[in-house]
Amino acid sequence: MTHLYTTYKGDVSQRKHIAVVNIRAHGHINPTLGIVEELVKRGHRVTYVVTEEFVPAIEATGAEARIYQSLFPANITMKRQRVEDSLDAMDLFFKESQQMLPQLEEIYKDDRPDLVLFDFMAWIGSVAAAKWGVPSIQLCSSYPKSKQDSMDEAMDQLPGFADFKEKVAQYIDGLQIAGITLESVMFGRELSLIFMPRMIHYAGESFDERYQFVGPCLRTEHNQVNWNAPINGQPVLYISLGTVFNDWPEFFNQCIEAFGHTPWHVVLVIGKQIDRDQLLEIPDNFEVHESVPQLSVLKHAKLFISHGGMNSTMEAMLHQVPLVVIPQMLEQEITAQRVAALGLGYYLKPEDVTVDTLREAIKTVAGNECMLARVKQMSQQIDDAGGTARAVELIEQRLFALVNAN
């Protein structure tokens, strides 16, 4: 389905400088690249604050990379995360925000942007925008929170969470920026672009018009990277745990044992941390990679065993590929529950993974016509959400309002 959206096409002198602020993570940066590329094509000047390893990806969109120093190591990998580990992760992201603010001020001291786009985990970008007196728009590749969010109620029960919220509130209040409080940072934004259709969200109907569910915003270039499907016509089973939570050699060996010497052609992605000598002998129907062009593989896949990252989930739905989700962290567990509840695939808990349960999961999903029909319906909802074109239209509407106001 092709969308024709109206866009702001004022004269070149009215086009603006847009800054993008993000964290050091592929899963947060990649979903924004389509938007950035399209904004550049439309004549806007885009600067993107990233760490060194993302410079080539940013420059490929036509934007200018601005370097910041992160507390997070490059190519970080992690073990499966428990709910109680979430507080430690949030505290690390808070420290990242604290040390990022002065860097943003230095980066933009002589080149103030007209608009700031900020990833939901890089919320400090909205704080910087408020300090500069410019508008900001949130970019969200995960589940946005509402004031009635049941997940926040669950987090409130974690030991130490109340103290953590108070620490963040004191920091924000101490900045003494007019109108900026913990409440305003969490819920006071003017516009948030959500990279999923509304139905995927467990509380999608609770969000007002400030939250626009535009779906995934893919880059044209991503679709041009090819992976060659097997010439013998074997059905493709794609297995990947993403770029962060993939240090699990036992799982990969279970997959080899479960699906070796079967009719499946298995594309197994193990990441950069697993040595090949940690794996069992690779069967003839397997190909094993550190990484693959995921969109190209999904064009041919019949089924995807995934960690349930939101980008992977959206790309699977877009390509009409049912899922077996084995979550590695809280957000991915929510996705696994939604996938199962909506009939888009199978939720397999990590602690329940065995050779037999993997085979049973595949047996349940493969060839399930009712499940495939629901996946196709979700694919249509993603298409209807508008993607990159819709997201850029909303951004340019904000810029157009800014031009008129001035």
Side-chain angles (χ1 to χ4, degrees):
M1 181 176 179
T2 301
H3 297 273
L4 295 176
Y5 291 112
T6 57
T7 58
Y8 165 56
K9 294 183 179 179
D11 63 56
V12 173
S13 65
Q14 293 179 323
R15 294 180 182 176
K16 298 295 181 179
H17 173 197
I18 302 170
V20 188
V21 180
N22 214 323
I23 64 171
R24 188 179 202 169
H26 290 275
H28 292 252
I29 291 175
N30 289 344
T32 70
L33 297 179
I35 291 174
V36 171
E37 182 178 62
E38 184 61 24
L39 286 169
V40 171
K41 285 180 179 178
R42 298 186 185 201
H44 302 293
R45 182 165 68 93
V46 182
T47 56
Y48 203 128
V49 180
V50 289
T51 49
E52 288 280 359
E53 71 271 24
F54 291 104
V55 170
I58 299 307
E59 291 182 342
T61 68
E64 176 190 345
R66 301 279 178 91
I67 307 301
Y68 88 99
Q69 301 302 314
S70 173
L71 296 177
F72 293 93
N75 299 316
I76 185 173
T77 60
M78 301 174 69
K79 297 289 187 181
R80 291 193 303 278
Q81 187 183 83
R82 303 166 300 170
V83 173
E84 53 266 34
D85 296 328
S86 299
L87 190 58
D88 291 338
M90 287 189 291
D91 190 57
L92 183 56
F93 278 112
F94 172 52
K95 292 174 181 175
E96 176 84 340
S97 297
Q98 287 179 292
Q99 64 91 33
M100 195 175 187
L101 182 58
Q103 294 189 67
L104 292 175
E105 294 189 88
E106 179 64 24
I107 288 169
Y108 288 107
K109 67 177 181 180
D110 297 320
D111 188 22
R112 288 284 189 260
D114 299 295
L115 174 71
V116 175
L117 307 180
F118 66 98
D119 180 83
F120 73 106
M121 293 299 290
W123 53 267
I124 201 67
S126 66
V127 173
K131 187 171 185 178
W132 301 331
V134 302
S136 61
I137 296 173
Q138 178 181 253
L139 306 177
C140 191
S141 58
S142 183
Y143 299 96
K145 300 292 188 291
S146 68
K147 291 183 180 180
Q148 296 80 33
D149 200 318
S150 59
M151 291 304 301
D152 278 354
E153 293 175 7
M155 291 298 295
D156 285 338
Q157 305 306 313
L158 282 179
F161 186 68
D163 291 340
F164 172 74
K165 285 180 69 175
E166 179 60 26
K167 180 171 66 173
V168 177
Q170 289 180 0
Y171 167 72
I172 292 175
D173 290 344
L175 295 174
Q176 297 185 325
I177 302 172
I180 295 297
T181 63
L182 178 62
E183 176 83 0
S184 72
V185 168
M186 292 178 66
F187 306 115
R189 60 191 58 87
E190 297 178 13
L191 178 63
S192 183
L193 305 180
I194 318 301
F195 301 146
M196 68 178 78
R198 188 180 293 270
M199 181 176 284
I200 286 286
H201 198 290
Y202 56 87
E205 296 306 315
S206 69
F207 293 92
D208 60 30
E209 67 281 355
R210 294 174 302 163
Y211 296 84
Q212 294 290 320
F213 290 80
V214 299
C217 298
L218 304 182
R219 287 185 64 201
T220 303
E221 179 181 314
H222 286 185
N223 295 319
Q224 297 172 351
V225 181
N226 291 321
W227 169 82
N228 294 319
I231 60 174
N232 60 9
Q234 282 182 291
V236 174
L237 170 60
Y238 176 40
I239 304 174
S240 173
L241 295 180
T243 59
V244 177
F245 295 94
N246 54 27
D247 188 6
W248 191 8
E250 298 83 4
F251 166 74
F252 297 120
N253 281 326
Q254 288 171 322
C255 289
I256 290 171
E257 188 174 347
F259 308 119
H261 312 293
T262 67
W264 290 102
H265 179 88
V266 182
V267 180
L268 181 65
V269 176
I270 62 174
K272 298 180 181 298
Q273 303 304 310
I274 303 295
D275 293 327
R276 296 296 180 101
D277 59 13
Q278 293 178 270
L279 301 179
L280 299 173
E281 183 178 353
I282 305 302
D284 291 341
N285 65 317
F286 268 65
E287 54 179 275
V288 179
H289 305 274
E290 287 187 357
S291 64
V292 294
Q294 180 160 286
L295 291 177
S296 186
V297 175
L298 286 172
K299 286 181 181 179
H300 303 278
K302 296 296 183 183
L303 202 151
F304 182 10
I305 298 180
S306 170
H307 60 309
M310 186 52 67
N311 299 333
S312 292
T313 301
M314 289 295 96
E315 290 170 0
M317 293 298 100
L318 191 64
H319 288 83
Q320 302 181 8
V321 181
L323 289 158
V324 172
V325 182
I326 306 173
Q328 306 296 296
M329 58 177 291
L330 178 60
E331 174 199 308
Q332 295 162 9
E333 185 174 337
I334 297 169
T335 300
Q337 293 170 356
R338 293 300 292 158
V339 165
L342 294 170
L344 306 172
Y346 190 99
Y347 171 20
L348 180 57
K349 295 181 179 180
E351 60 269 25
D352 293 336
V353 172
T354 66
V355 171
D356 288 339
T357 58
L358 284 168
R359 287 172 176 163
E360 183 62 29
I362 294 299
K363 182 179 178 181
T364 301
V365 177
N368 187 321
E369 293 299 327
C370 291
M371 189 173 289
L372 182 58
R374 287 188 286 268
V375 169
K376 289 179 178 179
Q377 291 171 356
M378 183 56 68
S379 179
Q380 184 62 54
Q381 288 198 25
I382 291 173
D383 191 60
D384 291 343
T388 303
R390 176 61 175 159
V392 172
E393 176 197 34
L394 291 164
I395 292 168
E396 289 196 320
Q397 284 177 356
R398 187 74 186 95
L399 287 172
F400 183 69
L402 182 66
V403 169
N404 282 344
N406 293 333

